[in-house]
Structures are given as C-alpha cells and as structure tokens.
Amino acid sequence: MVNYYCEYCGTKSSSINSLTAGSCIRHPEGKGRHKLYEGSEKSKYQCKYCGTSASSISSLTAGTCIRHPKGSAKGKHSPTL
C-alpha cells in the first residue's frame, strides 16, 4: 500500500484525491488545502532551508525555520524531496 503525505503538515492518506481535498492546518497562507509531498518515504526528513532533520514530515514542519525565506517568525521547516 502506498501512502501520500502533505508537504506542509505531514498528514498521511492512502490516495492523492483524499489528501488534496482536505484543509491543511499548517498551510503557509493560513488557509488552504494539503499539498502533495512528491519525495519518497524516508527514515529522516531534512529541511531544505537549514538542514534540520526529523523522523517524520509532521515533526519537521511543526518547528519554525531560522533560514526560511519568509523569516523565522512566519516560516516553518520545509522537507527536501
């Protein structure tokens, strides 16, 4: 069984349609839908801006990123592909 994940919050779904139909609590614009993470499943996920790593996308994207283009006050970690 293949799992699909949201790039913004790490929500897991068994289909792309059900994933992208749902609202995302960590969407960068405040309101919006889940965005499909197009990378593969990994044992560690790294932030593309600062290199911080975590064992899940959900754990990674929960923290603010000091090197995020929107600034550390607004930007969250974002997983590399």
Side-chain angles (χ1 to χ4, degrees):
M1 181 172 166
V2 176
N3 291 312
Y4 300 96
Y5 297 88
C6 173
E7 182 177 318
Y8 300 137
C9 70
T11 293
K12 179 170 73 170
S13 180
S14 60
S15 77
I16 295 172
N17 286 339
S18 65
L19 176 72
T20 56
S23 296
C24 180
I25 60 169
R26 293 188 189 146
H27 193 280
E29 295 174 12
K31 283 189 172 183
R33 303 268 179 219
H34 292 295
K35 178 183 177 189
L36 176 64
Y37 169 70
E38 296 186 27
S40 59
E41 284 189 89
K42 301 172 181 150
S43 60
K44 289 278 185 187
Y45 294 89
Q46 283 193 305
C47 175
K48 63 183 171 184
Y49 302 119
C50 71
T52 294
S53 64
S55 60
S56 69
I57 295 173
S58 179
S59 296
L60 179 69
T61 58
T64 56
C65 179
I66 60 172
R67 294 195 177 123
H68 194 280
K70 290 186 177 182
S72 61
K74 291 186 176 187
K76 300 280 187 185
H77 293 295
S78 184
T80 60
L81 297 179

